[in-house]
Amino acid sequence: MRLFYAIFLPEEVKRALVEAQERVARYKGWKEVAPHQLHLTLLFLGERPEEDLEDLLALGHRLGRLFSPFTARIRGTGYFPNEGTPRVWFAKAEGEGFAPLAEGLREGVRELLGEEALLAGGDKPFKPHITLARRKAPAPRVPPVVFGVEWPVAEFALVRSELKPKGPVYTILEKFPLRGDHGREQEESAGKRS
């Protein structure tokens, strides 16, 4: 199964991004990401055997207990690649929790499944972003869009991606709440009471 860890967006953030997507909607060469699929990928795993699933779910729960919720922001847009002909138009995301969480997942997958399990994601450095549109045919760049949106990131998910003729279908297999130390203290005190 094709898997990735991701953060999905609240409705108000999606609305702001969908408004931005209208900038490329007029060009046939750009294909916008469907609003319900807008997400920020933390770690792409590619095709994994079903027997890896238990370890990947356990890793998500373990990291959810270690990391605290944080605030994410979107300020503007960019292109991959930045020079030449772009393939992807994205919204840049900022938030102090993105990189540590992505690195924690990377390290955890490496420990559990080995370096091979990280090959599908490539060796590019992690850049938190939300893909808005993919370029499928010649189409112009659109001017930068400035956002002023932020949201609390309180969970992430393990997602199954199935490639279909009309586009990928994402299924959230499990969500992992971010509880950090505060959550752990609550769990411990709840355990003492029972």
Side-chain angles (χ1 to χ4, degrees):
M1 61 179 72
R2 195 167 183 259
L3 300 172
F4 63 95
Y5 288 104
I7 292 170
F8 284 84
L9 310 171
E11 288 303 317
E12 63 272 18
V13 176
K14 281 193 226 172
R15 275 196 294 275
L17 298 180
V18 168
E19 277 182 33
Q21 287 177 314
E22 291 172 10
R23 308 276 179 104
V24 296
R26 72 185 88 161
Y27 304 113
K28 288 184 179 176
W30 286 107
K31 182 169 188 210
E32 306 99 286
V33 173
H36 69 279
Q37 292 183 332
L38 290 168
H39 69 275
L40 187 149
T41 299
L42 292 166
L43 182 65
F44 180 71
L45 297 164
E47 287 293 335
R48 300 302 314 163
E50 201 153 334
E51 57 261 30
D52 288 354
L53 191 56
E54 193 175 321
D55 284 339
L56 295 170
L57 293 172
L59 174 63
H61 285 294
R62 181 165 60 86
L63 292 184
R65 286 192 293 272
L66 294 175
F67 288 87
S68 298
F70 62 94
T71 300
R73 292 168 210 82
I74 301 175
R75 304 242 188 265
T77 55
Y79 290 98
F80 291 137
N82 193 32
E83 303 295 327
T85 303
R87 291 187 306 275
V88 170
W89 185 49
F90 64 89
K92 300 174 199 171
E94 301 170 3
E96 63 185 23
F98 286 130
L101 185 54
E103 187 54 35
L105 287 167
R106 203 172 164 77
E107 283 303 312
V109 168
R110 182 181 285 125
E111 285 171 20
L112 289 167
L113 306 175
E115 190 74 29
E116 173 271 334
L118 298 171
L119 295 178
D123 57 358
K124 293 177 188 162
F126 173 71
K127 290 185 179 174
H129 70 278
I130 298 142
T131 297
L132 298 173
R134 291 185 174 81
R135 192 169 173 271
K136 302 292 185 185
R141 288 175 179 245
V142 296
V145 178
V146 177
F147 300 95
V149 295
E150 62 179 48
W151 79 97
V153 176
E155 64 183 17
F156 65 103
L158 181 62
V159 184
R160 180 179 188 170
S161 168
E162 296 172 87
L163 299 177
K164 305 278 187 183
K166 289 187 175 181
V169 174
Y170 299 152
T171 305
I172 293 177
L173 299 178
E174 196 146 333
K175 292 180 180 177
F176 312 106
L178 299 176
R179 287 180 279 188
D181 290 333
H182 178 67
R184 195 174 317 136
E185 288 166 10
Q186 286 180 327
E187 280 180 4
E188 287 170 2
S189 62
K192 286 177 188 169
R193 284 195 300 269
S194 61

